[in-house]
Amino acid sequence: MRPLLIAGNWKMHMLREEGQALVAGILAGAAQVPAERELLILPPFTLLVELGARVAGSRVDLGAQDLHWEESGAFTSGISGPMLRDAGCRYVLVGHSERREHFGDSGVVLWNKVRGALKAGLRPIYCLGENLDQREADRTADVLAAQFNEALPGLSREEMAQVTLAYEPVWAIGTGRTATPEIAQEAHRLLRRRLSEGFGEEVAARVRILYGGSVKSENAVGLLALPDIDGALVGGASLRVESFLGIATAGA
Ligand code: PGA
């Protein structure tokens, strides 16, 4: 069985004091979350070191929202995989739709970032999802296949088993519109089939596929109950203790 992963993507939010308070609340309430569920926070870079120290040894894991693919070098502003490991990270997002849209992360860049993360011993959470036009044109399956193929083929089975996928329909991110359980399950099933075709049944059975896009405690119950949904990547609702823990305990 794949343990559910509930990940909070803080995006470009939280100054030090707010971040500390949020983590304190999550740690204080974490005991309510069933032991077989995993918790992850993805704060901005500026908070990683201090929050990494804060969550060390707890059941809350730490991850970053992006990385540079090289280990080190003359890449002004870049933050590398080894630096993230050094800050206490175990996970890193790659290919979030906001990176694709606002920072121009292309397929080649994402290909390199997945490999840079794995080389540093980080577990990439590779995000993919269609936008509204693509969904309305009935192109979701093609878009998911293309995004899958941008970054993942060529990984060994062992490497792929370290990767988590996150299906995030762009039209559901930050909009309050969530995919219905049927829409989400169908996209997750397609991704699971791709995994199986590309990497074999065993890897496909191991890789977690998170759903993201306006997840709240109310809709999390239905989503987390689906067979191919292995957790949630939560944006807005991860910025408050009650809503994040509400999702983490949903349906339990
Ligand atoms: P949202 O963001 O929960 O605010 O829709 C999800 C995400 O972008 O990861």
Side-chain angles (χ1 to χ4, degrees), residues 157-199:
R157 289 180 180 199
E158 293 69 36
E159 286 171 327
M160 190 63 221
Q162 296 301 310
V163 178
T164 298
L165 299 183
Y167 169 61
E168 296 207 304
V170 178
W171 48 269
I173 296 178
T175 58
R177 257 185 92 175
T178 326
T180 60
E182 295 71 31
I183 288 178
Q185 168 58 24
E186 175 58 15
H188 284 232
R189 199 185 55 77
L190 284 173
L191 290 171
R192 186 87 59 204
R193 201 168 69 208
R194 290 246 132 226
L195 284 168
S196 161
E197 285 162 6
F199 299 93

XYZ file of all heavy atoms in Angstrom, residues 157-199:
345
model
N 14.372 2.254 -13.229
C 13.217 1.913 -12.372
C 13.450 2.362 -10.937
O 12.531 2.833 -10.263
C 12.971 0.412 -12.408
C 12.428 0.003 -13.751
C 12.162 -1.468 -13.849
N 11.646 -1.701 -15.195
C 10.975 -2.757 -15.588
N 10.720 -3.726 -14.732
N 10.547 -2.872 -16.811
N 14.678 2.200 -10.474
C 14.997 2.607 -9.094
C 14.805 4.116 -8.945
O 14.315 4.598 -7.933
C 16.448 2.249 -8.726
C 16.744 0.761 -8.652
C 16.711 0.069 -10.015
O 17.135 0.687 -11.032
O 16.226 -1.089 -10.089
N 15.253 4.853 -9.965
C 15.099 6.320 -9.895
C 13.624 6.697 -9.922
O 13.171 7.538 -9.146
C 15.836 6.984 -11.063
C 17.343 6.973 -10.909
C 18.070 7.433 -12.173
O 17.584 7.193 -13.299
O 19.153 8.024 -12.027
N 12.876 6.069 -10.830
C 11.454 6.425 -10.932
C 10.723 6.126 -9.632
O 9.797 6.857 -9.251
C 10.815 5.668 -12.103
C 9.419 6.162 -12.431
S 9.370 7.887 -12.993
C 7.895 8.457 -12.123
N 11.144 5.093 -8.950
C 10.480 4.737 -7.683
C 10.694 5.822 -6.616
O 9.968 5.874 -5.627
C 10.991 3.391 -7.191
N 11.682 6.693 -6.823
C 11.925 7.797 -5.873
C 11.055 9.018 -6.192
O 11.030 9.981 -5.424
C 13.398 8.249 -5.943
C 14.404 7.199 -5.525
C 14.161 6.737 -4.112
O 14.017 7.548 -3.199
N 14.059 5.437 -3.927
N 10.424 9.001 -7.353
C 9.665 10.167 -7.806
C 8.215 10.046 -7.333
O 7.663 8.950 -7.257
C 9.706 10.270 -9.355
C 8.877 11.451 -9.871
C 11.159 10.380 -9.851
N 7.633 11.192 -7.002
C 6.198 11.282 -6.733
C 5.620 12.120 -7.862
O 6.266 13.061 -8.310
C 5.961 11.995 -5.379
O 6.556 11.207 -4.348
C 4.487 12.179 -5.075
N 4.428 11.784 -8.334
C 3.764 12.641 -9.328
C 2.700 13.477 -8.626
O 2.145 13.055 -7.605
C 3.099 11.795 -10.415
C 4.010 10.895 -11.265
C 3.190 10.174 -12.334
C 5.128 11.691 -11.917
N 2.429 14.645 -9.171
C 1.309 15.449 -8.653
C 0.483 15.919 -9.835
O 0.962 16.709 -10.666
C 1.814 16.639 -7.850
N -0.728 15.399 -9.917
C -1.655 15.850 -10.963
C -2.342 17.110 -10.464
O -3.070 17.071 -9.468
C -2.692 14.768 -11.279
C -3.810 15.295 -12.152
C -3.533 15.790 -13.435
C -5.122 15.336 -11.706
C -4.544 16.300 -14.228
C -6.143 15.845 -12.494
C -5.839 16.330 -13.755
O -6.843 16.858 -14.546
N -2.065 18.220 -11.163
C -2.667 19.489 -10.768
C -3.286 20.153 -11.998
O -2.585 20.837 -12.756
C -1.596 20.424 -10.187
C -0.973 19.900 -8.913
C -0.473 21.042 -8.036
O 0.327 21.856 -8.513
O -0.925 21.130 -6.891
N -4.585 19.956 -12.212
C -5.220 20.652 -13.336
C -5.106 22.158 -13.105
O -5.494 22.647 -12.038
C -6.665 20.162 -13.283
C -6.863 19.526 -11.955
C -5.528 19.178 -11.400
N -4.535 22.858 -14.072
C -4.230 24.278 -13.876
C -5.494 25.083 -13.569
O -5.474 26.016 -12.772
C -3.494 24.837 -15.122
C -3.215 26.321 -14.982
C -2.192 24.079 -15.349
N -6.612 24.656 -14.149
C -7.868 25.371 -13.940
C -8.411 25.213 -12.526
O -9.344 25.906 -12.126
C -8.920 24.907 -14.960
C -9.039 23.423 -15.085
C -8.350 22.620 -15.955
C -9.863 22.543 -14.324
N -8.701 21.300 -15.772
C -9.632 21.233 -14.785
C -10.790 22.733 -13.295
C -10.272 20.117 -14.252
C -11.436 21.628 -12.762
C -11.169 20.338 -13.239
N -7.812 24.329 -11.756
C -8.276 24.124 -10.371
C -7.340 24.766 -9.350
O -7.664 24.805 -8.167
C -8.398 22.635 -10.087
N -6.190 25.266 -9.799
C -5.209 25.797 -8.845
C -5.588 27.212 -8.425
O -5.669 28.109 -9.261
C -3.785 25.789 -9.449
C -3.344 24.347 -9.717
C -2.809 26.487 -8.524
C -1.971 24.241 -10.354
N -5.840 27.376 -7.142
C -6.123 28.693 -6.591
C -7.441 29.290 -7.064
O -7.703 30.470 -6.858
N -8.287 28.495 -7.681
C -9.513 29.033 -8.269
C -10.746 28.673 -7.450
O -11.831 29.178 -7.708
C -9.742 28.433 -9.680
O -9.806 27.005 -9.542
C -8.621 28.814 -10.617
N -10.583 27.758 -6.502
C -11.733 27.288 -5.753
C -12.508 26.215 -6.512
O -13.463 25.642 -6.006
N -12.103 25.953 -7.740
C -12.745 24.891 -8.547
C -11.913 23.645 -8.402
O -10.753 23.636 -8.798
C -12.644 25.297 -10.025
C -13.893 25.843 -10.617
C -13.672 26.087 -12.102
N -14.063 24.935 -12.903
C -14.060 24.946 -14.239
N -13.669 26.013 -14.892
N -14.461 23.894 -14.898
N -12.462 22.613 -7.860
C -11.693 21.368 -7.723
C -12.156 20.389 -8.782
O -13.326 20.397 -9.160
C -11.989 20.670 -6.375
O -12.213 21.658 -5.430
C -10.858 19.772 -5.948
N -11.258 19.542 -9.215
C -11.686 18.458 -10.095
C -12.660 17.581 -9.322
O -12.483 17.357 -8.125
C -10.478 17.639 -10.526
N -13.670 17.096 -9.983
C -14.554 16.135 -9.318
C -13.735 14.867 -9.071
O -12.749 14.608 -9.776
C -15.744 15.759 -10.218
O -15.215 15.163 -11.416
C -16.591 16.963 -10.574
N -14.146 14.062 -8.118
C -13.423 12.808 -7.894
C -13.306 11.987 -9.175
O -12.280 11.372 -9.435
C -14.271 12.101 -6.833
C -14.913 13.227 -6.081
C -15.182 14.300 -7.103
N -14.341 12.023 -10.031
C -14.299 11.232 -11.280
C -13.203 11.750 -12.209
O -12.447 10.974 -12.790
C -15.643 11.292 -12.016
C -16.807 10.646 -11.295
C -17.268 11.431 -10.057
O -17.154 12.686 -10.037
O -17.718 10.787 -9.098
N -13.139 13.083 -12.364
C -12.117 13.672 -13.250
C -10.722 13.360 -12.717
O -9.815 12.961 -13.453
C -12.331 15.201 -13.364
C -13.563 15.494 -14.212
C -11.097 15.891 -13.937
C -13.881 16.982 -14.347
N -10.556 13.540 -11.414
C -9.234 13.309 -10.820
C -8.842 11.840 -10.957
O -7.733 11.521 -11.405
C -9.249 13.736 -9.357
N -9.739 10.953 -10.617
C -9.417 9.515 -10.674
C -9.049 9.108 -12.104
O -8.123 8.338 -12.322
C -10.581 8.683 -10.127
C -10.524 7.185 -10.384
C -9.270 6.478 -9.832
O -8.628 6.958 -8.898
N -8.896 5.369 -10.451
N -9.748 9.660 -13.090
C -9.460 9.304 -14.483
C -8.044 9.758 -14.880
O -7.297 9.002 -15.506
C -10.522 9.947 -15.393
C -10.308 9.774 -16.879
C -10.219 8.323 -17.336
O -10.600 7.412 -16.572
O -9.726 8.101 -18.464
N -7.678 10.978 -14.483
C -6.328 11.462 -14.808
C -5.277 10.627 -14.069
O -4.233 10.270 -14.643
C -6.205 12.936 -14.424
N -5.545 10.294 -12.835
C -4.581 9.492 -12.071
C -4.440 8.091 -12.665
O -3.346 7.531 -12.702
C -5.013 9.416 -10.602
C -4.736 10.679 -9.846
N -4.048 10.721 -8.650
C -5.039 11.960 -10.140
C -3.954 11.977 -8.239
N -4.556 12.744 -9.116
N -5.548 7.572 -13.131
C -5.501 6.236 -13.739
C -4.649 6.256 -15.009
O -3.847 5.366 -15.255
C -6.933 5.782 -14.059
C -7.123 4.301 -14.258
C -8.556 3.982 -14.685
N -8.948 4.732 -15.891
C -8.577 4.438 -17.127
N -7.825 3.383 -17.357
N -8.958 5.190 -18.154
N -4.812 7.343 -15.803
C -3.993 7.487 -17.018
C -2.506 7.544 -16.655
O -1.668 6.923 -17.310
C -4.347 8.800 -17.744
C -5.640 8.842 -18.534
C -5.898 10.266 -19.030
C -5.525 7.895 -19.735
N -2.201 8.308 -15.616
C -0.794 8.441 -15.215
C -0.254 7.102 -14.703
O 0.888 6.737 -14.991
C -0.644 9.532 -14.155
C -0.862 10.955 -14.696
C -0.919 11.963 -13.553
C 0.255 11.334 -15.676
N -1.086 6.387 -13.960
C -0.643 5.080 -13.443
C -0.358 4.142 -14.619
O 0.600 3.378 -14.595
C -1.727 4.501 -12.528
C -1.349 3.237 -11.805
C -0.646 3.440 -10.486
N -1.431 4.202 -9.553
C -0.905 4.905 -8.547
N 0.397 4.931 -8.342
N -1.675 5.596 -7.740
N -1.178 4.230 -15.656
C -0.952 3.375 -16.819
C 0.357 3.740 -17.529
O 1.114 2.872 -17.936
C -2.136 3.470 -17.784
C -2.203 2.262 -18.702
C -3.493 2.184 -19.450
N -3.552 3.273 -20.420
C -4.682 3.827 -20.856
N -5.843 3.403 -20.406
N -4.665 4.794 -21.740
N 0.624 5.041 -17.637
C 1.905 5.479 -18.226
C 3.080 4.924 -17.433
O 4.084 4.496 -17.983
C 2.048 7.010 -18.170
C 1.155 7.751 -19.048
C 1.924 8.489 -20.149
N 1.268 8.203 -21.395
C 1.861 7.850 -22.523
N 3.163 7.770 -22.595
N 1.171 7.609 -23.593
N 2.948 4.996 -16.112
C 4.022 4.482 -15.251
C 4.251 3.001 -15.519
O 5.386 2.541 -15.633
C 3.656 4.664 -13.772
C 3.772 6.085 -13.205
C 3.099 6.144 -11.836
C 5.237 6.491 -13.094
N 3.145 2.302 -15.638
C 3.244 0.865 -15.831
C 3.863 0.540 -17.190
O 4.742 -0.318 -17.311
C 1.846 0.288 -15.663
O 1.767 -0.948 -16.224
N 3.445 1.274 -18.234
C 4.002 1.038 -19.573
C 5.487 1.387 -19.625
O 6.272 0.713 -20.269
C 3.259 1.884 -20.614
C 1.875 1.344 -20.943
C 0.978 2.376 -21.620
O 1.455 3.503 -21.948
O -0.204 2.056 -21.804
N 5.852 2.458 -18.932
C 7.237 2.933 -19.031
C 8.188 2.255 -18.058
O 9.385 2.130 -18.339
N 7.678 1.846 -16.912
C 8.592 1.411 -15.843
C 8.190 0.089 -15.207
O 8.864 -0.378 -14.283
C 8.680 2.501 -14.759
C 9.213 3.800 -15.289
C 8.351 4.799 -15.741
C 10.586 4.033 -15.380
C 8.838 5.994 -16.257
C 11.084 5.218 -15.889
C 10.204 6.201 -16.332
